[in-house]
Amino acid sequence: MAAASQLTIFTPKPRNLQTFKASASSCSTFNTPAATNFKKQVMGVAAGLFAAAAVAAAAPLEADATRIEYYATVSEPSCELNFVKSGLGYCDVVVGSGEEVPFAQLINVHYTARFADGIVFDSTYKRARPLTMRLGMGKVIRGLDQGILGGGGVPPMHVGGKRKLHIPPQLAYGPEPAGCFSGDCNIPGNATLVYDVNFVNVYKGNRK
């Protein structure tokens, strides 16, 4: 009823009696119980749709924010690194009890990759799915090949294992920048990289 009163107050002043009667008639119709009830129903539906739209719009943002926070903070516990002749440092946070990593076959790995100062530059957790990679074929940087597949004093990983790798530039991307797009490079030259690797499983597509 308050809305109807405001409508009456702000109605332009009628120029003649006929116009005034038309305006009065319109206000009277608007104020009938049926019209008032219909107005409330319309407003209720509109409010419901607005609330649903607000929830739908907010949900992805909250999910993204949670994922980004996890991506930025996830880290395995520290452990004492063992360095081998190649310069690679490794230590096992969890020694896996599953299948040993196979040579030249696809495996699924979760990882968080950092620079030596701790800044994250890549993570499979951000994408919410592990990376499928093939080891021993030169498809990944040498530090990951040796650090996961083993060799040169490094034991092979097993499914379920979690390992920290300290990868010097000569086993990573060397003196040249990497991860470049449109002139911007994600990884500077001569960067030492630290990977927290989680060996999830052997890719089932390997088995026919």
Side-chain angles (χ1 to χ4, degrees), residues 82-90 145-147 149-156 171:
N82 302 294
F83 287 89
V84 296
K85 187 176 180 179
S86 66
L88 179 72
Y90 78 95
D145 256 342
Q146 183 182 11
L149 187 61
V154 180
L171 297 179

Side-chain angles (χ1 to χ4, degrees), residues 11-29:
T11 299
K13 187 174 181 181
R15 296 180 179 179
N16 53 53
L17 182 61
Q18 184 177 1
T19 303
F20 176 79
K21 287 181 179 180
S23 301
S25 176
S26 298
C27 291
S28 175
T29 301

Side-chain angles (χ1 to χ4, degrees), residues 33-176:
T36 302
N37 185 50
F38 175 77
K39 179 186 176 185
K40 289 180 179 180
Q41 291 178 358
V42 171
M43 292 180 67
V45 171
L49 291 173
F50 178 82
V55 170
L61 292 177
E62 292 174 359
D64 288 345
T66 301
R67 183 177 301 171
I68 291 169
E69 180 181 359
Y70 178 71
Y71 158 59
T73 59
V74 65
S75 177
E76 299 297 342
S78 61
C79 56
E80 186 175 352
L81 292 167
N82 302 294
F83 287 89
V84 296
K85 187 176 180 179
S86 66
L88 179 72
Y90 78 95
C91 60
D92 286 313
V93 177
V94 175
V95 177
S97 58
E99 183 178 352
E100 182 178 305
V101 57
F103 177 81
Q105 292 191 34
L106 296 171
I107 63 171
N108 290 319
V109 169
H110 261 309
Y111 68 83
T112 297
R114 296 175 170 80
F115 296 118
D117 62 4
I119 295 176
V120 175
F121 68 87
D122 191 20
S123 176
T124 56
Y125 296 103
K126 178 184 179 183
R127 299 183 286 276
R129 64 179 182 274
L131 176 68
T132 301
M133 62 171 64
R134 191 187 305 275
L135 297 175
M137 304 294 290
K139 301 295 184 181
V140 297
I141 59 175
R142 288 190 295 159
L144 290 178
D145 256 342
Q146 183 182 11
I148 300 173
L149 187 61
V154 180
M157 291 188 71
H158 290 256
V159 171
K162 295 182 178 181
R163 178 174 289 178
K164 187 180 294 291
L165 299 175
H166 186 275
I167 304 175
Q170 68 271 20
L171 297 179
Y173 296 100
E176 298 298 325

Side-chain angles (χ1 to χ4, degrees), residues 173 176-189:
Y173 296 100
E176 298 298 325
C180 301
F181 181 76
S182 297
D184 294 324
C185 296
N186 197 25
I187 302 173

